Amino acid sequence: MGQSVLTPMVAFDRRGGELHCGDVPLATLAERFETPLYVYNLAAVEARVRGFQEAFGELDFVLAYAVKANGNLAVLNRIAGLGAGADIVSGGELQRALRAGIVPERIFFAGVGKRREEMESGIRAGIGAFHVESEGELRLLAQVAEEIGVPAPIAVRINPDILSPAFHEYTQTGHASSKFGIPPEVARELYSWAHRHPFLRVRGIAVHIGSQILDPAPYLESLDSVLALVEELGADGIRLEYLDLGGGFGVGYEGDPGLAPRDLAMAILPRLRSKGLTLVLEPGRTIVGEAGVLLTRVLQVKRSGGKVFVVTDGGMTELLRPSHYGGFHRVEPVVLQEDRPEERVDVVGPVCETGDFLARDRVLSLPRPGELLAVRTAGAYGFSMASNYNARCRPAEVVVDGSRVHLARRRETHEDLVRGESIPRWTAAADG
Ligand SMILES: Cc1ncc(COP(=O)(O)O)c(C=O)c1O
């Protein structure tokens, strides 16, 4: 579709006062599939993947999409079709990625706590590499590989001791006191051990310093730290195939442009041109964040304690980011109503927690019960962090491409919520 990196595609726009996804009015989707509802614009997802591929096209480049951001099969399948790989953190994500058609060699398995079975299924599937985060993990992986007789490909995830700029400490992963990664000096020894092990195949080096980073500078700092180690490993006779600089590229939650792949490329490419390494990046949020909205319907408008609460049918169970770490999301009426006064409100959900909110202290043209709100930039870490707390059914997910609409995941039912549960035989209820 030839989308330029200079003009990222608008995933949702207003036509005649009505918010649309592609050619489809969001209000019609809410009528058809009910609320709360996730809607993703697949063409916008594709444009963002292509934006990265264009920006880094001069290098051998693999986009390993971070499945944790949004693992819906329809979304993953669109990304797979563009030749992208996947960054995964569990056996469940491995199955999703494979089922969606992602090529195993482009799948990279990260995470500080991989289980033996997950290692085995990754090796058997032929994934690109395990990103090892501790000495114990490396030893266990070697043991599992030896047991099944197939060498395990590895990279070590480096902890470069960089405190990335962040709106919340929970999104920082590259500082020494975080649980992630291995300090360079320790990593050098592990590489040396792995290099000599008959059932480990050293392939690359990885780093991921945090999320929602809007400035290329911390990536440069992280790259320099990793390149210094690549050089040392070269001196030890260990040649690497790829360098994975992680993900975390910031999106425009407040309507700003976010970190453009082109700006990142301009900063880091000069350092990488002569190195002969494949570059792997693991963007999640920036691929799907702006391509998704959460649609909610207003249940009540409640005035209490000097405040105005807009109570909607979506809350922390559908979108955890605001209550988990103060994540900001724009909230807009789906259909603009000219006659509404603006008021300062809290947009809250129905969950029995004071921490259940979607937006706080926000000036909004006051909606009425029954009207629809769109929570923007909810395509990443929305459904994937959704829960069944308060025995709430997780919402449906719909994908749109131009004028085409597909129900990519049906809404859960109350029956789904009790599937797999049972009452012990010895209770009267079960006996009766
Ligand atoms: C190792 C790793 N790679 C990539 C990502 C993706 O981050 P983002 O969605 O912010 O791009 C994460 C996020 O937690 C991660 O832990």
Side-chain angles (χ1 to χ4, degrees), residues 66 68-69 87 110 157 208 211-212 246-249 282-286 381:
K68 64 176 80 66
D87 154 58
R157 175 169 170 180
H208 170 76
S211 275
Q212 189 51 16
F249 315 113
E282 301 172 351
R285 180 188 316 269
T286 191
Y381 305 103

Side-chain angles (χ1 to χ4, degrees), residues 138 141-147 149-154 191-202:
L138 186 65
L141 186 60
Q143 200 185 320
V144 173
E146 191 156 2
E147 276 166 23
V150 183
I154 66 128
Y191 270 112
S192 166
W193 185 80
H195 183 58
R196 285 182 273 113
H197 197 288
F199 282 93
L200 293 175
R201 186 158 69 88
V202 172

Side-chain angles (χ1 to χ4, degrees), residues 13 70 97 143 183-184 194-195 207 218 223 242 254 268 341 350 371 413 417 428:
D13 63 349
N70 182 331
Q143 200 185 320
H195 183 58
V207 65
L223 177 62
Y242 74 84
E254 305 201 22
I268 68 171
E371 291 179 351
T413 62
L417 298 189

